[in-house]
Structure formats: C-alpha cells, structure tokens
Amino acid sequence: MASVIDPVVDLAWLRANAGDVILADVRWYLDGRSGAEAYRKGHLPGAVFIDLDTALAAPASPAEGRHPLPDPAVFAAAMSAAGIGDADRVVAYDDAGGVIAARLIWLLRSIGRQAALLDGGLLSYDGELTTDVPSPPRADFTPREWPAERLASLTDTTADGGHVVLDARDAPRFRGDTEPVDARPGHIPGARNLPCRDNVTPDGRFLPVAELRDRFAAAGADGTAEVISYCGSGVTACHNLIALEHAGLGQGRLYPGSWSQYAATDRPAATGD
C-alpha cells in the first residue's frame, strides 16, 4: 500500500479524520526520563504508547549503534499489540517537535504504510489530556523487510557517490565541541550539518515548506542529489527525512547506525564546521 497522506498533518486534519486514525505517543528522552511515565501522566485521548527502545530499535551494540533498526518481526509484533494493522493510518506525536516520533513514521512509511507526524505534537493539542490507557484488540500487521533502497550503510556515507550526507545533530555535537554519549566527538567527513530541531518553530510546528526547502538547499540538498541522513543513533535523522519529503524534495535514505556506529570504528572523523 502506497502512502497517500502527507508525512505531516495538523490537528484540524486529525480531528477531521477522527475514528479513522490510530494515534501513537512516542515520547522518549535522552536524559533518562521515562517516556512511558510521561504518557501515563497525560496523553492525547485514544493514543497508544509506542516504546522507542523495544518497538522501534534492536538492542544496542558498538557494531550496530545505539538504536539499530528493529527486526521486522519484532516491529510487526509491537504494531499488532498496539492495535495497528496493515491498513491502518497512524499519526504519531511527541513533545519535542516530532524528532522522536519521526522514527515510527519513517519506519511505517518506508514499508508503504500510511503514517504522518502530528504538526506541533503534544504542544499543539488544545483539549484536555487523559490518563485513560486504551486496550485495543490485537491487529494483523504483516512483517516486511526494511527496503534496501531506503537505507544507507556506513560505507555509503563515505563513498563518493554524488549524494549529500546530512547530520541531524545540534551544531556543538557536529563540530565536536562536545560528545555526551558516543565513543568520540566529531562528524563524518564531508557531512553537512542540518540540525533537525531547527526544522520546527519554538512551538514545535514545522517551518513553512518554502523555508524548509531553503534550509535544505543551503545544506546542498536541493532535490538534485540523493540525501543520506544520520544523527547520533538513527532516530532524529528520521526527522530530517520526514521534513525532506514534506518539503517535496524526495525521500532520501537513512543511515541507521549513524554516529554511534561510525564513532566506534577507526575511520577518520572531522571536527569544526
């Protein structure tokens, strides 16, 4: 099934399609706070919780990075348990401008499912949150292999293939000023910094499409060359890919291992801008 909804939808769209969409809360925090606990304290009515570490990633390892892609069967089982079936449309949100929820949306869209980020996420909701946890019936979600054409390997990011490599991390980590979680500081040589958090305004809503296109063009991604996106662990890199598609500049490829995999090798690292 081809995705027929835009990768980003707003609250008005969500309300207009109420009853025909499954809402997913995908909060997660690098500082160790519990996304599940945040969900239990209050979430959008009807939303199910999707855990990044167990549903959207395989176990971490130096060889594969901090958030490798989940095994397709594990992902399918998690979707089934959340009541998400093959034909369902999914809208996901978090409280960080979509930089975490984008992982679920990218995974679903990469295998042809209909899925979108809620523009503005939790902050955009103007109703009352709920602590009621839904118990959806188990759905039929067919496992599908992650399509090779949507993925990039460590070698792809360094090969001279005429593509643009975008690093979604904040500028200090890209420059190598600091590295709080991975093996060493810096970035992949030749990569260009496009911090994903700057795809949105302070209220978490995406920039207008024209401004997104300008941002990508300034980083060398104007729609004429293939884009490879990475970040620290392959999660927030998905936000740049969603923004790229939302801006009408193609789909791009994800480097799942990202800096957490690359930094564990002996390949050269670049620092500075």
Side-chain angles (χ1 to χ4, degrees), residues 28 67 122 178 190 236:
W28 181 90
H67 287 114
L122 188 68
T178 182
T236 63

Side-chain angles (χ1 to χ4, degrees), residues 227-263:
V227 169
I228 293 174
S229 181
Y230 81 94
C231 58
S233 69
V235 174
T236 63
C238 296
H239 196 267
N240 273 352
L241 292 174
I242 294 296
L244 186 79
E245 186 178 357
H246 179 54
L249 295 172
Q251 295 181 320
R253 291 194 284 163
L254 174 69
Y255 168 33
S258 284
W259 185 246
S260 58
Q261 180 189 48
Y262 188 98

